[in-house]
Amino acid sequence: MKISVNHEYMDVSGRKVLIVEQEKRRSGMKLFKGYQIDRDKQRLGGDLWFKSDGRSFLGDMEENLCREADIGMTMSDMQAVILERIIEAIDTDMALPGGTGPRMYGSAMPSYIHDPAELKTLEFVDEHLTGGMHTRHRNAAIDAVTERRAKCSRVRIGRMEEALGWVPMFVWDHEMRIVLFDYARVKAHGWDWGMFVSARNRRNPQKKAWVKRTLYRWIEKSLQQIECGIINKSILLMDTAGLQVAQQEPKHTGKSITSGLRSWTDTEEKPAA
């Protein structure tokens, strides 16, 4: 997705966000500044910074903006949040470590660790011989490992298990589940949905061909079923904008139900009605 200034979006946690300013850093990266708004378009909280694709600049997954619906598919705000949660769950599942199966022959010794002096020498040589290519590749690999570890955090795994449980619980048709999961996987990888459908039809000519218009209807229906199931089970996944209230000291202005009353016994005379 591509975000722009003076437009409203919704993030994964269900908050309305208004983008108000665009800023370009020295590195060439475009950043967009926004803030949360309530139902009356009033500002709530501090500044929020996003990349051009709607991801949070600080790396907080809950602040990522939801993707806009593809042409031919319509979604409500809550359905967009549900879809983004499923895409996030697929992204977390792909980042989790798993069995890789048999590997090629290689050394069982751990990687050699250089001391700081050797690292400086290697960086100097790399800078003058290859223009810093190896250093950039190493830094990119370190960033990828760091991002993968962030995706495998305890919070994200818990959110993944919750979101992936919605599909078999609320979507009744098996083929609709497959389509929804494939759509989420395509979006998590950043692929093109139309090319994925065309490639799937070519690889499986013996199966029933997928038609994009029909698939969009199935995805819409699946999200509607999940939305209804979440509402019926009172799962807290709604727009919380405008519901924030300041914590105030409780005031005891009412009287107790026993105030001003007496406990009458059988030996005392009750007042006349």
Side-chain angles (χ1 to χ4, degrees):
M1 62 175 295
K2 296 293 183 180
I3 63 176
S4 56
V5 181
N6 298 327
H7 280 74
E8 297 179 8
Y9 300 92
M10 178 173 285
D11 63 7
V12 178
S13 59
R15 301 174 299 182
K16 282 288 187 178
V17 176
L18 175 63
I19 304 298
V20 296
E21 185 181 341
Q22 177 182 342
E23 180 180 312
K24 191 172 184 179
R25 297 295 177 90
R26 291 182 178 179
S27 60
M29 177 184 296
K30 291 183 179 179
L31 295 180
F32 293 82
K33 184 176 74 173
Y35 50 80
Q36 182 185 355
I37 58 176
D38 58 13
R39 295 186 179 91
D40 297 327
K41 311 299 181 182
Q42 300 298 319
R43 176 169 180 164
L44 296 171
D47 295 337
L48 302 173
W49 291 93
F50 303 93
K51 299 179 183 179
S52 59
D53 58 356
R55 293 185 299 169
S56 173
F57 177 68
L58 300 178
D60 189 354
M61 300 299 175
E62 294 187 1
E63 293 183 357
N64 291 354
L65 301 180
C66 297
R67 295 170 175 82
E68 297 179 353
D70 293 348
I71 299 177
M73 182 171 59
T74 58
M75 295 184 297
S76 65
D77 289 340
M78 186 173 180
Q79 292 169 10
V81 174
I82 293 171
L83 178 59
E84 196 69 24
R85 284 287 305 274
I86 296 176
I87 295 174
E88 177 192 348
I90 296 295
D91 191 26
T92 304
D93 182 68
M94 293 188 302
L96 290 175
T100 57
R103 296 183 178 182
M104 295 180 62
Y105 173 79
S107 175
M109 295 296 293
S111 301
Y112 181 77
I113 301 177
H114 299 275
D115 59 25
E118 290 178 330
L119 288 176
K120 289 183 179 180
T121 303
L122 292 175
E123 291 178 358
F124 178 81
V125 174
D126 179 37
E127 183 69 27
H128 287 76
L129 294 181
T130 64
M133 179 183 65
H134 294 294
T135 302
R136 290 194 299 270
H137 289 176
R138 184 188 64 187
N139 293 338
I142 294 174
D143 294 341
V145 172
T146 303
E147 182 179 0
R148 181 172 182 176
R149 288 179 178 176
K151 291 179 180 180
C152 300
S153 64
R154 180 184 302 177
V155 176
R156 286 205 58 176
I157 292 176
R159 291 165 58 86
M160 175 197 71
E161 292 175 347
E162 180 188 21
L164 294 182
W166 295 338
V167 179
M169 183 184 302
F170 301 125
V171 180
W172 309 319
D173 188 80
H174 177 67
E175 192 168 2
M176 289 172 57
R177 298 176 189 172
I178 295 177
V179 171
L180 181 59
F181 276 135
D182 282 346
Y183 183 80
R185 183 164 58 90
V186 167
K187 293 300 180 180
H189 280 290
W191 299 338
D192 182 78
W193 176 242
M195 295 180 61
F196 176 83
V197 173
S198 301
R200 182 263 178 193
N201 292 336
R202 289 196 305 269
R203 290 195 306 266
N204 303 283
Q206 72 280 4
K207 295 184 179 181
K208 182 179 179 181
W210 281 2
V211 181
K212 287 181 61 176
R213 184 176 300 178
T214 304
L215 299 180
Y216 284 149
R217 288 202 303 265
W218 287 357
I219 296 172
E220 292 175 2
K221 188 175 181 180
S222 300
L223 296 176
Q224 291 173 3
Q225 292 175 357
I226 296 175
E227 180 183 11
C228 293
I230 286 176
I231 293 175
N232 293 335
K233 288 186 175 295
S234 300
I235 299 176
L236 296 179
L237 183 67
M238 296 185 180
D239 179 16
T240 56
L243 300 182
Q244 290 81 359
V245 295
Q247 296 295 326
Q248 299 179 355
E249 187 71 19
K251 299 179 181 179
H252 301 285
T253 56
K255 293 184 178 180
S256 172
I257 59 173
T258 59
S259 61
L261 299 179
R262 292 184 57 188
S263 177
W264 299 96
T265 61
D266 295 338
T267 58
E268 294 179 336
E269 182 181 0
K270 295 182 181 180

